[in-house]
Amino acid sequence: MLKKLLIAALLMPALFAQAAEEVNVYSYRQAYLVEPLFAEFTKQTGIKVNVVFAKKGMAERLEREGKHSPADVLLTTDISRLIELHEKGLLQVNEDATITAAIPAQYRSNDNTWFALTTRARNIYSAKKLGDLTLNYEDLADPKWAGRICTRSGKHPYNVALVSSMIAAHGEADTLTWLKKVKANLARKPQGNDRGQVQAISQNLCDLSLGNSYYFGKMLNDDKQKVWADAVNINFPNQENRGTHVNISGMGMAKFSPNADNAKALMTFLVSEQAQQMYAETNMEYPVRMGVKVSDLVASWGDFKADTLPLETIAKHRKTALKLLDQAKFDL
């Protein structure tokens, strides 16, 4: 009997340690999107996921916490936020073969410090009354659209990334000319968010706007906003040349991750077929993993050709894009 008690006592610490397994996530992604994924991960592994949600300030918080940071995995939207974490040395390399095999090279860093989880196209929405259109981003500078374009701030990360891709395609001087002409075509001063521009089209304030693809699905599934979405067509620009500009949501492993093995396990799960399918159905984004189907609603918008330029190349032009937006006085 005594021997059995001793064996049980020896086993207890191991059992407790297993029950206490956890991974800490700092997330710019909204709770409704990622919490179902974390619940499934915990169900499969027994590892508890603790999440800190934020809209800004992740890099500053990590810098402030330094080596004492509890963060293991960082989730963000937009390439610029991942590049900021990378440039500030707040990420560590993750060479897990499952992850690198699942994500195309153009959607992860060369040194395997950050990885895309989903992609989203930067579309041009057009008033349905205009019928079917074939549009390039370059067409937004055409004088025929004078007073007919709405957009959010040029300095929003989504638009900065688009301008960066224009620099990569056309160079600095031509992109500045393009920005000045697009500004001249605006129906109003840049304001609001992507959905607000579609609302403006539905109110006949303009005929074209820029917006990410998943917002179209969100509006169609919203009783209040469906009338906005019903007033527009979603267009995938540049299909006859370099392809539509695509941005990402992504992840990285924190530099001082205290639960590194659990962080790697969570990151591996997030690129699994099951998790990628959950992303596709919940947020109507495009799974980054090849072979995972988009939602039926997204599929109804048709296939499109994406720009194949690596996101790291686009990100290199970010500072120049901000400079050109200032020179064009785009938001003024």
Side-chain angles (χ1 to χ4, degrees):
M1 183 63 182
L2 178 60
K3 184 177 181 181
K4 288 183 178 179
L5 289 174
L6 286 172
I7 292 174
L10 289 171
L11 288 175
M12 281 300 290
L15 292 172
F16 179 79
Q18 184 176 16
E21 290 285 346
E22 62 181 9
V23 60
N24 302 315
V25 177
Y26 286 4
S27 175
Y28 279 141
R29 306 236 66 185
Q30 298 180 58
Y32 82 92
L33 173 63
V34 294
E35 285 183 338
L37 291 160
F38 296 155
E40 182 61 30
F41 173 72
T42 299
K43 178 182 174 183
Q44 293 184 16
T45 64
I47 300 171
K48 181 183 178 184
V49 182
N50 307 308
V51 192
V52 174
F53 293 102
K55 291 186 177 179
K56 58 182 180 180
M58 184 187 295
E60 290 77 7
R61 176 168 181 163
L62 289 165
E63 287 182 313
R64 188 169 61 250
E65 293 173 340
K67 294 182 180 180
H68 303 292
S69 175
D72 295 303
V73 176
L74 313 174
L75 298 181
T76 79
T77 57
D78 187 73
I79 180 61
S80 66
R81 286 170 163 164
L82 287 167
I83 294 297
E84 179 187 23
L85 296 172
H86 182 270
E87 290 181 343
K88 291 185 174 181
L90 298 170
L91 302 175
Q92 66 170 286
V93 173
N94 186 349
E95 300 279 10
D96 187 286
T98 302
I99 297 176
T100 55
I103 303 176
Q106 75 180 97
Y107 296 131
R108 52 184 163 87
S109 66
N110 287 329
D111 61 359
N112 292 324
T113 52
W114 58 260
F115 309 87
L117 285 171
T118 61
T119 64
R120 60 275 293 274
R122 194 72 180 146
N123 300 95
I124 297 176
Y125 292 101
S126 61
K128 192 162 285 184
K129 64 186 179 185
L130 300 177
D132 295 331
L133 298 175
T134 299
L135 293 166
N136 297 317
Y137 298 116
E138 290 79 356
D139 295 329
L140 298 177
D142 192 316
K144 75 178 183 180
W145 298 113
R148 300 171 68 185
I149 299 175
C150 287
T151 182
R152 72 192 312 165
S153 168
K155 292 188 176 180
H156 188 278
Y158 298 158
N159 280 339
V160 173
L162 172 61
V163 175
S164 299
S165 75
M166 292 292 289
I167 296 171
H170 298 292
E172 189 172 333
D174 286 351
T175 301
L176 177 58
T177 300
W178 175 75
L179 277 172
K180 289 179 177 178
K181 291 182 177 180
V182 174
K183 174 180 170 56
N185 285 343
L186 296 182
R188 60 182 185 178
K189 185 177 177 179
Q191 58 191 267
N193 54 28
D194 281 2
R195 280 184 269 196
Q197 315 314 314
V198 174
Q199 180 187 19
I201 292 176
S202 74
Q203 296 169 338
N204 293 316
L205 298 177
C206 42
D207 288 327
L208 301 180
S209 73
L210 288 164
N212 282 352
S213 51
Y214 58 90
Y215 287 123
F216 195 48
K218 288 178 178 292
M219 289 185 286
L220 287 169
N221 287 335
D222 185 302
D223 291 340
K224 177 184 175 182
Q225 298 175 3
K226 187 175 185 303
V227 64
W228 307 348
D230 286 341
V232 303
N233 288 330
I234 184 171
N235 304 280
F236 294 90
N238 297 76
Q239 290 304 285
E240 296 177 354
N241 42 73
R242 67 182 181 280
T244 297
H245 168 61
V246 166
N247 207 322
I248 61 170
S249 70
M251 65 178 177
M253 188 170 165
K255 176 70 176 294
F256 301 110
S257 168
N259 304 291
D261 288 343
N262 293 345
K264 291 177 180 177
L266 177 59
M267 294 173 74
T268 302
F269 171 76
L270 292 176
V271 300
S272 68
E273 291 186 10
Q274 180 184 16
Q276 288 284 298
Q277 195 66 61
M278 293 174 72
Y279 264 121
E281 295 293 341
T282 304
N283 207 33
M284 286 156 286
E285 294 177 293
Y286 294 91
V288 73
R289 183 179 180 124
M290 299 295 291
V292 177
K293 293 182 178 179
V294 299
S295 71
D296 290 342
L297 178 58
V298 173
S300 71
W301 306 338
D303 296 329
F304 74 99
K305 180 175 72 174
D307 191 341
T308 57
L309 197 64
L311 286 178
E312 280 194 323
T313 301
I314 292 175
K316 290 178 182 176
H317 297 291
R318 184 174 182 274
K319 290 182 179 177
T320 303
L322 289 166
K323 181 187 72 175
L324 297 186
L325 285 158
D326 280 336
Q327 291 178 354
K329 299 178 180 178
F330 194 84
D331 283 354
L332 300 180

